[in-house]
Amino acid sequence: MRESALAYAMLAPSLLIFGAFVFFPFVKNFSFPFYQQSTASGFGTFGKAAPPKWVGWQQWHEVFTSRTFWHSAWVTVQFVVLTVPLGIAFGLLLAVLAHQRLRGITIFRTIFSSTVASSAAVASTIFFSLIGTESGLWKLRIHGHALLDDKTWALPAIALVSVWQSLGLSFIVMSSGLQAIPDDLLEAARVDGASSVRRFRRVTLPLLSPTIFFAFVVGSISAFKTFAEIDLLSPIGKETGGTSLLAYQVKRLAFESESRNGQAAIFAVGLFAIVLLLTLIQMRLERRVHYGR
Amino acid sequence: MAVSISVSQRPVGRSIARYFVLIVMAGLILFPIYITIVNSLMEPTALANGPVWWPSHPTLSNYATAWTNAHVGRYLWNTVIVAVGITALQVSTAILGGYAFAFLNFPLKRLMFVMYLATLMIPGEVTIIQNVQTVHDLGWYNSYAALIVPFIATGFGAFLLRQSFLAVPADLQDAAALDGYGHWRFLRRVVVPICRPGIAAMALFAFLGAWNQYLWPLLVTSDDRYRTVQIGLKQLRTENLSSVTVVFAGTVLAFLPIALLLLAFSKQLVRGLTAGAVKG
């Protein structure tokens, strides 16, 4: 009895915060789509606007039949496909390079992991200052306008910035995966006469697959939620739709111009569904990896 | 003899090739940072023809402008308060939660644990609409409370520390019990000291996350007195469109403290970031 009281006393502060700032707003998010804000409300007018009106499934229907939603979802998927595999491949390449026994290799390890110190906002500000729309020092132009405003090339350009920013993390994760591979396995393969390419493909890569898989899921979840890069790098595309990822749409619909909380909440539900799906896949496959050992 | 020559000669050529590849990759990664630092040291007028590659007449005036006129000093101070606050409180709640899940038996323990893990699956975007409203309702708009309080509990951190606590040898637990240690004393005298590396890794991870937050501070602050450095960069850019050198200086100021911190604690960083990635 005393033990339970102690346990709940220890959990109480967290449970309070989770209740107020995770579970309550999470449940509330599923009720927003059924209401429509009747008057214009934006920043700072919360609670002062007229009470919202019950509109049933109308907004769900509107959003799921709208071009905006499916376009945003499609752009988001493109962004994830552009960033995640590339980030993992580069991270792996750097990790393999830095895994050699060479004098001064620690310096290279430090440099390769250096971009973890750069937030998405720092990376975006650097690249916007270099190639940005008006202030960019290099006037990178394509089809007559700035690279970051081009319909086709803005997204890949932003994806590259994002890959650069996540490179440090990807390198660190891949390196620790490599270091966990027992040297005697590679040594045995070498003694058996396996070439270095063969050793990499037949020994390193299979043993690294749980790490790669982890990086893939975690990287995808964070790529699906990308916001800062879009907000800072794409002043035009984010409004016209070319680069308006789901997370940006949530923010734009909920907090800009007239309030469209209901629609924003539906976009957020879409994001949640994706994150949930990825997490479930991870949990399932992780179990399989465990049994495999 | 011939064998030893061929053995010692090949690696030289090979290691030159290896260094070459390493240097090229390092150059590619550092290039944006290098250009930023070099150009942050230039007079604004010197960049009329694009960025320079070498600071011919370096000046620190951009840093002075960014620090005071553009309020980056204030933004950094706010970020330190927020990040230290979040880290200290997250570590406390995670130690308590981790201890309860690792060493105590209580009703509905499984359900509570699932609830902790469930918080990991709920992205911030799904809770943000109501949370901004809650902040307004509480009168917390433009306050440190708005920036800190929603983040003082962490499912991930509690889970991580539980794993770390579970590795405390059972012998120690028995010995502590024989010495008449209660839970509180066992936690403070045995568990926390033994698990210090795990706690440090978790703390660094929390600090990094808090330092880099973007969307939330953007939504709950509009006042320079509370703005953090990440969204300060956006502010800086709109205010100083004409002098990109000041933006560069501000970016270096936002980047440098965290880079030095990570350099000093690189071991903890690797541990914190790879928790869960590598098994065994």
Side-chain angles (χ1 to χ4, degrees):
Chain A
M1 187 56 215
R2 280 193 58 205
E3 197 170 311
S4 333
L6 177 66
Y8 276 101
M10 285 176 149
L11 299 185
S14 297
L15 292 177
L16 193 70
I17 295 297
F18 286 151
F21 291 103
V22 181
F23 294 116
F24 164 65
F26 175 71
V27 172
K28 196 76 193 288
N29 190 77
F30 286 88
S31 90
F32 285 132
F34 295 101
Y35 293 91
Q36 187 130 42
Q37 296 287 352
S38 43
T39 53
S41 63
F43 275 124
T45 60
F46 279 114
K48 291 171 202 147
K53 194 178 86 193
W54 171 267
V55 291
W57 291 92
Q58 185 197 327
Q59 296 193 91
W60 292 92
H61 181 77
E62 275 169 21
V63 168
F64 285 132
T65 54
S66 73
R67 212 187 91 80
T68 320
F69 177 79
W70 292 109
H71 183 69
S72 174
W74 171 232
V75 175
T76 310
V77 169
Q78 282 180 301
F79 185 78
V80 173
V81 171
L82 284 169
T83 50
V84 178
L86 205 59
I88 291 176
F90 267 121
L92 183 56
L93 174 69
L94 293 178
V96 170
L97 287 175
H99 199 55
Q100 314 174 83
R101 261 191 217 116
L102 284 173
R103 197 187 289 265
I105 198 73
T106 18
I107 297 169
F108 290 102
R109 287 208 185 112
T110 306
I111 292 171
F112 291 169
S113 47
S114 65
T115 69
V116 274
S118 158
S119 63
V122 164
S124 304
T125 308
I126 289 177
F127 280 93
F128 194 77
S129 304
L130 292 174
I131 59 168
T133 312
E134 292 160 63
S135 59
L137 289 175
W138 276 303
K139 309 286 178 217
L140 283 189
R141 301 201 146 254
I142 196 158
H143 302 147
H145 35 80
L147 178 68
L148 287 171
D149 295 336
D150 185 79
K151 262 191 195 145
T152 323
W153 291 102
L155 200 68
I158 297 168
L160 272 184
V161 175
S162 185
V163 167
W164 178 79
Q165 189 256 330
S166 63
L167 213 48
L169 177 60
S170 181
F171 166 73
I172 290 174
V173 170
M174 291 300 155
S175 278
S176 67
L178 273 185
Q179 271 152 24
I181 294 175
D183 283 337
D184 43 341
L185 274 179
L186 289 165
E187 196 49 45
R190 193 202 307 269
V191 170
D192 286 347
S195 68
S196 58
V197 174
R198 209 178 150 79
R199 284 201 303 274
F200 180 76
R201 282 189 47 196
R202 293 298 170 86
V203 182
T204 309
L205 218 47
L207 286 173
L208 210 56
S209 59
T211 309
I212 294 175
F213 180 69
F214 169 86
F216 181 78
V217 173
V218 173
S220 299
I221 290 176
S222 93
F224 269 111
K225 299 196 293 181
T226 301
F227 174 81
E229 289 92 331
I230 300 302
D231 193 38
L232 289 167
L233 282 169
S234 189
I236 293 179
K238 70 184 182 188
E239 297 302 334
T240 56
T243 59
S244 53
L245 306 190
L246 286 170
Y248 185 77
Q249 290 285 17
V250 173
K251 188 259 181 187
R252 190 178 72 90
L253 290 170
F255 305 109
E256 279 170 23
S257 64
E258 83 267 45
S259 178
R260 283 179 287 185
N261 282 354
Q263 292 180 27
I266 298 172
F267 278 75
V269 169
L271 260 183
F272 167 67
I274 293 165
V275 171
L276 187 68
L277 188 73
L278 282 167
T279 316
L280 292 178
I281 292 174
Q282 180 190 23
M283 280 159 68
R284 244 195 117 75
L285 285 175
E286 208 156 62
R287 206 173 296 154
R288 195 187 292 172
V289 172
H290 264 303
Y291 285 136
R293 288 245 174 124
Chain B
M1 199 59 203
V3 171
S4 80
I5 288 170
S6 71
V7 165
S8 66
Q9 268 178 350
R10 260 184 65 202
V12 173
R14 242 199 221 173
S15 44
I16 288 174
R18 284 172 175 177
Y19 276 119
F20 180 75
V21 177
L22 283 167
I23 289 168
V24 167
M25 295 311 286
L28 280 176
I29 289 167
L30 286 183
F31 177 70
I33 300 172
Y34 172 79
I35 283 286
T36 302
I37 294 173
V38 166
N39 287 278
S40 72
L41 298 170
M42 300 298 295
E43 295 287 351
T45 47
L47 305 188
N49 302 315
V52 296
W53 299 76
W54 186 251
S56 36
H57 305 284
T59 164
L60 287 175
S61 67
N62 297 312
Y63 285 87
T65 312
W67 187 269
T68 44
N69 299 13
H71 313 292
V72 174
R74 179 74 209 198
Y75 299 155
L76 276 172
W77 175 237
N78 292 337
T79 317
V80 168
I81 291 177
V82 169
V84 169
I86 289 178
T87 306
L89 291 163
Q90 268 197 17
V91 168
S92 314
T93 60
I95 287 177
L96 293 176
Y99 187 87
F101 287 124
F103 295 109
L104 300 177
N105 279 312
F106 51 94
L108 303 180
K109 182 172 174 178
R110 230 189 121 71
L111 176 73
M112 288 299 138
F113 193 59
V114 169
M115 261 176 65
Y116 265 66
L117 290 187
T119 63
L120 300 181
M121 295 183 208
I122 300 178
E125 287 72 15
V126 190
T127 55
I128 209 154
I129 302 172
Q130 175 59 42
N131 279 345
V132 170
Q133 192 156 343
T134 303
V135 161
H136 280 284
D137 291 345
L138 291 169
W140 285 1
Y141 189 73
N142 275 326
S143 73
Y144 291 129
L147 294 166
I148 295 174
V149 174
F151 304 101
I152 62 182
T154 156
F156 178 70
F159 177 73
L160 217 60
L161 293 191
R162 168 188 173 265
Q163 299 297 95
S164 161
F165 292 175
L166 282 175
V168 171
D171 296 359
L172 281 177
Q173 219 178 325
D174 298 341
L178 279 178
D179 284 349
Y181 276 30
H183 282 293
W184 205 240
R185 230 177 351 153
F186 177 56
L187 172 63
R188 285 186 42 197
R189 299 268 181 87
V190 181
V191 176
V192 170
I194 287 183
C195 299
R196 192 159 283 163
I199 295 171
M202 186 243 134
L204 195 69
F205 187 80
F207 189 87
L208 193 61
W211 186 278
N212 288 344
Q213 273 202 23
Y214 184 81
L215 179 55
W216 180 253
L218 189 68
L219 294 177
V220 299
T221 58
S222 62
D223 187 327
D224 280 341
R225 283 178 302 163
Y226 300 102
R227 206 173 258 141
T228 60
V229 75
Q230 304 298 330
I231 55 169
L233 287 177
K234 185 181 185 182
Q235 187 67 16
L236 185 67
R237 207 177 78 181
T238 45
E239 278 176 3
N240 290 282
L241 210 58
S242 53
S243 56
V244 71
T245 49
V246 175
V247 178
F248 280 129
T251 313
V252 174
L253 287 172
F255 176 81
L256 207 57
I258 207 82
L260 294 177
L261 187 82
L262 294 183
L263 210 56
F265 294 100
S266 54
K267 210 178 265 171
Q268 285 80 359
L269 174 76
V270 170
R271 228 187 120 111
L273 291 181
T274 56
V278 183
K279 294 201 185 72

